[in-house]
Amino acid sequence: MNKQKISKIIAKKTSLYLKISMSLFVLSLVLLTTAVIFVQQQYMQLRKDFVDNSNTHIISVSRVQGDKPNITYPLSFEDKENINGIIENYNGTSVFSEYVIPFGISDTNDKTYFIEAVDNRFLEHSGIKKINDNEAIVSNELNEKKVTLKIPHINVEDGGFTSDYRTDFDLSFIPTSTIQSPFDEFDIKPDTIIVNTKTFEKIIETMYQVSWEEFQKNSIAENPYGIEVFDEINVYVADLKNIKKVADQLRNQYEINYVLGAFEDLQSSLNRSYTIYALLLIFILIVTGINTIISFRGYLYSMQKDMGIFRHYGYSCSQVYNIYKSLIITPYVKIVGIVAIYSFVISLILLKQDFIKSFVLAFVLIVFFVGIILISLLRILKKLSKKEIIILLKQSKEVE
């Protein structure tokens, strides 16, 4: 008789207990692959929200702490140098300034604007389109495409400002809706315009009739200009592992704010939870796998009489082994196929275009666990098929 037909006939004798054990094993595999894909989705979301999100890498320094509680002072060029010294030992850490002119400047139509400035390198870290010289990002509420500011030439007298001359300064406006990423770092009001640092330097040079280098130098020495131009100093930390260390050092001297301040232990807590979850599922899978092996082993031992009869009628050890081998391999190949299809669908639903890596990982786990069981069962079968005929028949009666 054909080997495959014999295998099909023998397969009909499969016990209900064995079928239940295999069903539980399938369920365990489904749970494991679901957990793997779910954890991968959470990990990818975590990377997107924290690791790959430029905002989580930024520490904003806003004020200098005073000697007494609740006393703070505006930032200065000296503070920028000090912060550069604090971060110099951390690779990939940079300092970027946000400037502001603390009073409004009118245009040729007597409309007043408040000017802020940011470094283009900071924008690049945030994934935002850079601002060209003589351009300004403005609120979508502004209809103007260009404006000509009347920059006053300022004289500081007795703590006050006077100006008897103004210079026209042309700017092109870029609505926030046209830039590459949401401009969340700034609160852009209808009367606020944001320029790059080069344009800001030109405006300051026009206002005080000095070079930017001289303006910085004099501001550190005695600040004869009557204004502080720093709004914030942003520290960009490339490696998130360093962000708490940098923040702690800055906090000793400055008022700071950073996104991960409220989530410092979030990643480690999630990693612990995912590890426990994964270990628990693997433990369940191992227990179910062992139970399946024991059940299939009992099934094979109950088939010793049939093996002995095949051997008695002239079947060789290898022929008996091949007959029963298909009984073991066929159901587990089906299990791999069913769970692989399930994993593919779930990966596609949860991860969409990023599903390949998670599906491959889940598939490897499926093949790994099923492979271990198959190797174990085939070794048991090989050992049984090589027994003497009289021993097979004798032991089958003992099993009965």
Side-chain angles (χ1 to χ4, degrees):
M1 188 181 288
N2 185 281
K3 183 188 72 174
Q4 291 183 347
K5 290 182 179 179
I6 295 173
S7 297
K8 288 180 180 178
I9 293 170
I10 296 172
K12 293 179 181 179
K13 298 174 67 177
T14 304
S15 67
L16 178 62
Y17 178 68
L18 178 61
K19 291 178 180 177
I20 293 172
S21 297
M22 293 185 69
S23 298
L24 289 173
F25 181 65
V26 172
L27 179 61
S28 299
L29 280 177
V30 167
L31 289 174
L32 178 67
T33 53
T34 303
V36 168
I37 294 165
F38 177 75
V39 168
Q40 183 70 10
Q41 185 215 24
Q42 293 298 306
Y43 176 74
M44 289 171 65
Q45 190 63 43
L46 186 69
R47 284 196 63 86
K48 181 180 178 182
D49 293 341
F50 293 95
V51 180
D52 296 333
N53 185 345
S54 60
N55 290 327
T56 61
H57 293 258
I58 297 168
I59 303 171
S60 295
V61 182
S62 54
R63 301 276 290 181
V64 183
Q65 290 185 0
D67 296 331
K68 296 180 181 179
N70 301 321
I71 300 296
T72 60
Y73 302 97
L75 295 168
S76 67
F77 287 101
E78 200 167 12
D79 292 307
K80 185 175 181 180
E81 292 179 2
N82 183 46
I83 291 170
N84 269 314
I86 291 173
I87 68 159
E88 63 182 356
N89 294 325
Y90 298 96
N91 292 332
T93 304
S94 309
V95 172
F96 305 103
S97 303
E98 285 182 35
Y99 298 115
V100 63
I101 294 176
F103 50 81
I105 294 178
S106 301
D107 66 2
T108 51
N109 296 319
D110 290 330
K111 187 174 182 178
T112 302
Y113 294 95
F114 292 89
I115 300 173
E116 298 179 13
V118 65
D119 195 303
N120 269 329
R121 291 180 301 155
F122 175 69
L123 297 184
E124 289 171 6
H125 279 302
S126 303
I128 299 172
K129 179 181 176 181
K130 72 175 184 178
I131 308 172
N132 294 321
D133 294 352
N134 294 86
E135 286 184 346
I137 291 178
V138 298
S139 168
N140 293 325
E141 297 178 32
L142 284 179
N143 296 319
E144 293 86 346
K145 293 184 178 180
K146 291 184 178 181
V147 71
T148 300
L149 297 178
K150 296 189 293 185
I151 307 298
H153 292 202
I154 292 176
N155 300 309
V156 181
E157 298 175 354
D158 298 326
F161 298 114
T162 62
S163 175
D164 51 16
Y165 188 77
R166 294 171 185 255
T167 297
D168 289 346
F169 195 92
D170 295 329
L171 282 176
S172 299
F173 284 173
I174 307 169
T176 53
S177 59
T178 64
I179 60 179
Q180 292 173 345
S181 299
F183 218 77
D184 297 331
E185 286 79 5
F186 304 92
D187 179 18
I188 303 183
K189 298 176 181 177
D191 59 355
T192 300
I193 60 177
I194 299 174
V195 298
N196 67 19
T197 50
K198 290 293 183 184
T199 302
F200 186 84
E201 290 169 13
K202 290 179 188 176
I203 293 172
I204 290 294
E205 289 173 346
T206 303
M207 286 173 60
Y208 290 100
Q209 297 297 293
V210 294
S211 69
W212 177 250
E213 289 74 21
E214 187 177 351
F215 179 83
Q216 294 180 78
K217 182 180 178 181
N218 293 338
S219 294
I220 293 173
E222 56 183 7
N223 193 7
Y225 306 111
I227 63 170
E228 297 289 353
V229 296
F230 280 94
D231 184 25
E232 286 185 342
I233 296 176
N234 292 303
V235 178
Y236 184 90
V237 184
D239 190 347
L240 283 181
K241 293 178 183 177
N242 294 329
I243 196 162
K244 188 176 185 302
K245 298 174 186 175
V246 176
D248 288 342
Q249 286 192 260
L250 291 171
R251 192 182 282 113
N252 294 330
Q253 302 178 47
Y254 301 98
E255 282 192 354
I256 66 169
N257 181 43
Y258 67 113
V259 173
L260 286 184
F263 301 99
E264 288 170 355
D265 298 321
L266 175 64
Q267 190 168 5
S268 60
S269 176
L270 285 174
N271 287 339
R272 284 195 298 270
S273 299
Y274 291 152
T275 301
I276 293 170
Y277 188 37
L279 289 174
L280 180 61
L281 281 169
I282 291 172
F283 174 75
I284 293 170
L285 185 65
I286 290 171
V287 170
T288 310
I290 292 171
N291 180 61
T292 306
I293 291 173
I294 293 171
S295 300
F296 225 123
R297 179 181 178 276
Y299 169 71
L300 290 173
Y301 269 84
S302 71
M303 293 288 106
Q304 287 182 102
K305 181 178 180 179
D306 293 340
M307 292 181 192
I309 292 171
F310 284 128
R311 293 283 303 282
H312 176 71
Y313 281 102
Y315 283 79
S316 66
C317 295
S318 61
Q319 285 176 320
V320 172
Y321 173 79
N322 289 330
I323 288 170
Y324 284 89
K325 183 175 73 172
S326 63
L327 288 178
I328 298 172
I329 293 177
T330 300
Y332 282 102
V333 169
K334 290 179 180 178
I335 287 172
V336 170
I338 291 168
V339 181
I341 291 170
Y342 168 82
S343 302
F344 180 83
V345 173
I346 292 299
S347 299
L348 197 58
I349 292 172
L350 292 180
L351 303 174
K352 298 180 175 60
Q353 68 270 20
D354 300 318
F355 77 98
I356 292 293
K357 190 179 293 185
S358 296
F359 168 68
V360 170
L361 177 60
F363 184 75
V364 168
L365 283 173
I366 296 166
V367 172
F368 174 74
F369 282 107
V370 171
I372 290 175
I373 291 176
L374 277 177
I375 291 169
S376 302
L377 292 175
L378 290 174
R379 288 183 67 181
I380 294 170
L381 175 61
K382 196 162 192 175
K383 186 178 177 181
L384 282 175
S385 65
K386 287 183 178 181
K387 286 185 177 182
E388 297 293 333
I389 297 172
I390 189 67
I391 295 175
L392 287 170
L393 294 173
K394 181 183 177 181
Q395 289 185 344
S396 69
K397 290 186 178 294
E398 291 175 0
V399 172
E400 292 172 1

